[in-house]
Amino acid sequence: MTLLACPSCDMLHDVPDLPQGRRAYCLRCNHMLVSGRHTSLDRTLATGFAIAILIVFALFFPFLSIEELGFSNTTTLLGVAAAFLDGWLIPLTLAVTASIVAIPLIRVALLIYALFPIWRGRPPAPHAARAFRWSEALRPWSMAEIFVLGAAVALVKVADLATIGFGPAFWAFCAAVFIIAFERQITDAASIWSMLDNEP
Ligand SMILES: [Zn+2]
């Protein structure tokens, strides 16, 4: 038996050790408390890899293009950030770049580090539990979705002044935002913790 608090409504449950593939739901709000072990690991790892690939892709491909009076210009995400690396905007630019790119990437790297060995049926990597705890702790600081919303709103506002086009990196970033939200839904922290308990 394990004592588990529902992540959604905090109700405490005594959850028995479930056979593989069985799920447990909160009695009050129906939030999933424990999912089938292996499918949950597969999905969390797959979303982790997908997020990492999409964000790295978004860094190097054109993020947006602006065209006015026959002149056109395309820029990458790093180009956007670099454009503001000047004077008092430097700390702000670094904070924004960290919260939209660095923190989501560090989070999935920690997640993959903690889960990949278990998924392969090996014992957990050294400090895997700490890596998973940090990855969960960084979750609120990963703000890719706020950036995408902000960029979309800002670009709609300047659409009258110039012709704006979204590049492949913008769409990759949008996809990453949806997958990050999905990953949050499917990550079964309780069963991951019970797997990490085998750490030496
Ligand atoms: Zn609940």
Side-chain angles (χ1 to χ4, degrees), residues 34-64:
V34 179
S35 67
R37 282 187 160 198
H38 253 279
T39 50
S40 126
L41 255 194
D42 285 353
R43 286 202 223 156
T44 301
L45 266 177
T47 52
F49 278 113
I51 293 165
I53 291 167
L54 286 168
I55 292 181
V56 170
F57 176 90
L59 283 182
F60 296 105
F61 282 81
F63 190 77
L64 59 95

Side-chain angles (χ1 to χ4, degrees), residues 167-197:
F170 177 83
W171 301 114
F173 220 83
C174 288
V177 165
F178 279 106
I179 298 176
I180 289 169
F182 182 62
E183 184 261 330
R184 183 197 205 111
Q185 281 301 312
I186 60 163
T187 297
D188 174 6
S191 60
I192 290 174
W193 277 121
S194 75
M195 287 180 254
L196 290 173
D197 271 347

Side-chain angles (χ1 to χ4, degrees), residues 48-57 59-60 97-113 135 138 142-144 173 176 180:
F49 278 113
I51 293 165
I53 291 167
L54 286 168
I55 292 181
V56 170
F57 176 90
L59 283 182
F60 296 105
T97 314
S99 57
I100 63 173
V101 174
I103 292 178
L105 277 180
I106 293 170
R107 266 205 66 234
V108 293
L110 289 168
L111 200 65
I112 291 168
Y113 174 80
S135 131
L138 283 175
S142 153
M143 302 187 195
F173 220 83
I180 289 169

Side-chain angles (χ1 to χ4, degrees), residues 1-9 11-37 39-40 185-191:
M1 296 279 252
T2 331
L3 209 53
L4 272 183
C6 168
S8 171
C9 73
M11 185 176 176
L12 269 184
H13 299 75
D14 249 340
V15 183
D17 292 329
L18 293 172
Q20 195 158 336
R22 294 297 296 273
R23 295 173 173 195
Y25 294 88
C26 174
L27 289 172
R28 183 155 65 191
C29 71
N30 219 26
H31 191 99
M32 191 168 68
L33 297 174
V34 179
S35 67
R37 282 187 160 198
T39 50
S40 126
Q185 281 301 312
I186 60 163
T187 297
D188 174 6
S191 60

